[in-house]
């Protein structure tokens, strides 16, 4: 029986050693934090970060997946372009899903899903995994199935706790750690990547992406977790709102001043009109008085 190991994440740092975030593989790191450190390196050199990045809750909420961003793929959140029906639509490292949940509002999924190495000959059990490379090629008996099975009224079967992944193993087979791709192993001298089937056959080890999930774990949280992307968008939105408020205030002031000026002009015109009318009345009264005085004299 194979020994089971759980994945521990690596981390992204700057060249100066400033920690950014936990990450599964080098592609998860941004340009400003481009140095990826493996879980093996963290365990030896940075125990506090190692403890944080091996925490199961931290791993489940990593934004390390992408999205098959097309209608034919139903906008599913998954691990690799090979898990899409059309690989060209895959967008890596989306900010609105993690290893467990999918927060995208315009699809029908609430969880992330993964591809499947399907053994239809049933000599070995089918297994969910990160990408089609884990199926072992045409001679293995496994056939790759994408994240969305496309069967009518069916839901994709693979969640993160179903996933088997490979491992980075040193030359003496004394040290190993679970990994989602060979790129992770490239950061550690002397380590090579063993795929799922080789890991089982050579070392009797099974690596899993997540620990077992309950029905409650699969339910969508009440609030979307705040990721760096979400925070950035929130900042942008707040900036836009502040700008809109400022513009609104300026327009309001201009309209108020215009109204005051308009009212003032109407008042001036009204007073002028009253003055003119009063003047005409005064002149009219003066003529009538003179005429009466002349008549009395006559």
């Amino acid at each position: 029986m194979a020994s089971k190991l759980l994945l521990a994440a690596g981390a992204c740092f700057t060249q100066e050693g400033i920690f950014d975030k936990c990450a599964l593989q080098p592609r998860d790191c941004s340009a400003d934090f481009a140095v990826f450190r493996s879980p093996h390196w963290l365990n030896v050199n940075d125990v506090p970060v190692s403890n944080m990045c091996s925490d199961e809750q931290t791993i489940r909420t990593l934004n390390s997946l992408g999205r098959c961003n097309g209608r034919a793929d139903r906008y599913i959140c998954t691990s690799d372009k090979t898990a899409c029906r059309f690989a060209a639509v895959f967008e890596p490292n989306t900010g609105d899903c993690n290893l467990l949940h999918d927060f995208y509002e315009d699809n029908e999924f609430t969880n992330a899903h993964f591809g499947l190495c399907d053994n239809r000959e049933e000599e070995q059990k089918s297994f969910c995994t990160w990408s089609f490379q884990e199926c072992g090629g045409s001679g293995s008996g496994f056939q790759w199935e994408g994240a969305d099975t496309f069967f009518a009224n069916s839901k994709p079967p693979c969640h993160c706790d179903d996933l088997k992944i490979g491992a980075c193993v040193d030359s003496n087979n004394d040290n190993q750690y679970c990994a989602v791709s060979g790129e992770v192993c490239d950061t550690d001298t002397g380590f090579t990547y063993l795929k799922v089937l080789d890991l089982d056959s050579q070392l009797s080890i099974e690596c899993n992406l997540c620990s077992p999930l309950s029905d409650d774990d699969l339910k969508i949280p009440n609030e979307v977790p705040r990721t760096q992307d979400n925070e950035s968008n929130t900042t942008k939105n707040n900036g836009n709102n502040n700008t809109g408020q400022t513009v609104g205030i300026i327009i309001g002031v201009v309209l108020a001043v215009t109204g005051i000026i308009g009212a003032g002009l109407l008042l001036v015109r009204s007073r002028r009109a009253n003055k003119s009318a009063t003047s005409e009345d005064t002149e009219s009264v003066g003529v009538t008085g003179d005429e009466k005085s002349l008549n009395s004299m006559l």
Side-chain angles (χ1 to χ4, degrees):
M1 184 175 178
S3 301
K4 292 191 175 184
L5 299 177
L6 273 177
L7 175 128
C12 302
F13 293 85
T14 63
Q15 292 290 347
E16 295 74 28
I18 300 172
F19 170 75
D20 177 32
K21 62 181 180 181
C22 300
L24 294 189
Q25 53 187 329
R27 80 173 191 191
D28 297 345
C29 300
S30 66
D32 293 332
F33 296 86
V35 178
F36 176 82
R37 298 299 188 186
S38 73
H40 173 72
W41 187 95
L42 294 177
N43 188 49
V44 174
N45 298 284
D46 197 332
V47 174
V49 173
S50 175
N51 291 338
M52 178 174 59
C53 293
S54 59
D55 175 72
E56 182 64 17
Q57 190 57 38
T58 299
I59 290 171
R60 290 181 183 181
T61 56
L62 290 177
N63 296 113
S64 296
L65 301 184
R67 187 173 302 284
C68 302
N69 197 20
R71 184 177 299 176
D73 281 286
R74 298 200 288 178
Y75 305 99
I76 197 168
C77 170
T78 191
S79 52
D80 188 76
K81 65 182 181 180
T82 60
C84 301
R85 189 177 184 184
F86 297 104
V89 303
F90 182 72
E91 294 181 358
N93 300 105
T94 184
D96 51 9
C97 71
N98 54 44
L99 297 191
L100 182 54
H101 292 115
D102 187 354
F103 301 99
Y104 186 59
E105 295 181 355
D106 294 331
N107 68 8
E108 56 193 271
F109 305 111
T110 56
N111 296 112
H113 297 281
F114 303 86
L116 173 74
C117 292
D118 185 15
N119 190 350
R120 298 182 179 179
E121 299 177 1
E122 297 185 357
E123 294 177 2
Q124 291 178 289
K125 289 184 178 180
S126 302
F127 61 94
C128 303
T129 191
W130 191 263
S131 71
F132 91 101
Q133 286 91 346
E134 299 296 336
C135 293
S138 58
S140 68
F142 288 95
Q143 180 173 329
W144 175 249
E145 299 287 349
D148 191 353
T149 53
F150 297 101
F151 292 128
N153 301 319
S154 68
K155 292 184 178 180
C158 296
H159 297 95
C160 76
D161 62 331
D162 300 309
L163 231 68
K164 292 183 180 181
I165 53 177
C168 299
V169 181
D170 70 6
S171 57
N172 297 319
N173 293 338
D174 293 329
N175 296 293
Q176 58 276 141
Y177 59 88
C178 301
V180 297
S181 71
E183 294 176 359
V184 178
C185 312
D186 294 340
T187 63
D188 280 326
T189 303
F191 281 77
T192 56
Y193 183 71
L194 282 184
K195 297 178 181 179
V196 172
L197 296 173
D198 296 330
L199 188 63
D200 181 33
S201 62
Q202 295 179 29
L203 300 179
S204 295
I205 292 175
E206 178 183 306
C207 276
N208 298 107
L209 186 64
C210 297
S211 60
L213 300 171
S214 67
D215 289 340
D216 287 338
D217 290 330
L218 291 173
K219 291 178 181 177
I220 201 79
N222 291 330
E223 295 184 4
V224 176
R226 293 182 62 81
T227 65
Q228 289 177 340
D229 290 340
N230 288 335
E231 288 173 358
S232 176
N233 290 337
T234 301
T235 302
K236 289 178 183 177
N237 289 337
N238 287 340
N240 291 337
N241 289 340
N242 291 338
T243 302
Q245 290 172 1
T246 303
V247 171
I249 291 169
I250 293 171
I251 291 172
V253 170
V254 170
L255 290 175
V257 171
T258 302
I260 292 170
I261 293 172
L265 289 172
L266 288 174
L267 182 60
V268 170
R269 289 176 181 174
S270 176
R271 286 181 176 175
R272 286 180 178 174
N274 290 338
K275 273 181 146 187
S276 177
T278 304
S279 176
E280 289 176 359
D281 290 345
T282 303
E283 290 175 359
S284 175
V285 170
V287 169
T288 304
D290 290 344
E291 287 177 349
K292 285 183 179 180
S293 176
L294 180 60
N295 290 332
S296 65
M297 289 176 66
L298 291 172

